[in-house]
């Protein structure tokens, strides 16, 4: 490449190269965590795993059959490598953080 890559892209490629030995994994995990932000603290309201529909900002959701509507205010996604279940096989992990507040 003739052009220098932006730092964030270059660092991503270095991290990808470091995971080359873990490629060929058979599993991808999607984990969604619902959080309430209070100051600098994020309070965990629930974690769900599986192929889940990702809510959108402005949507209301309820957790744990409480009937209390929660407004989705922010979505963050993080991708990486983690363990699959209780064994030592690697899995791709797509982590979705859903920030909510009372509707």
């Amino acid at each position: 490449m003739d052009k220098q890559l932006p730092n964030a892209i270059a660092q991503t490629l270095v991290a990808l190269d470091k995971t080359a030995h873990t490629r060929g994994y058979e599993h991808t995990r999607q984990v969604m965590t619902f959080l309430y932000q209070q100051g600098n603290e994020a309070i965990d309201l629930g974690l769900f795993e599986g192929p889940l529909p990702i809510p959108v900002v402005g949507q209301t959701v309820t957790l744990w059959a409480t009937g209390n509507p929660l407004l989705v205010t922010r979505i963050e996604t993080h991708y990486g490598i983690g363990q699959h279940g209780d064994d030592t096989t690697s899995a791709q992990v797509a982590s979705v953080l859903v920030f909510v507040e009372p509707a």
Side-chain angles (χ1 to χ4, degrees), residues 31-102:
V31 179
M32 187 178 315
T33 306
F34 288 85
L35 302 159
Y36 172 66
Q37 186 84 39
Q38 187 173 43
N40 291 331
E41 183 181 6
I43 299 169
D44 185 346
L45 299 174
L47 182 137
F48 301 88
E49 185 172 348
L52 304 163
I54 299 172
V56 296
V57 172
Q59 180 178 345
T60 57
V61 297
T62 57
L63 300 174
W64 310 117
T66 63
N68 297 316
L70 302 170
L71 179 66
V72 176
T73 59
R74 187 171 93 222
I75 303 283
E76 290 183 11
T77 53
H78 304 273
Y79 306 94
I81 305 296
Q83 284 189 308
H84 176 70
D86 295 330
D87 57 32
T88 58
T89 59
S90 294
Q92 298 177 97
V93 177
S95 176
V96 180
L97 303 179
V98 180
F99 291 85
V100 296
E101 62 183 37

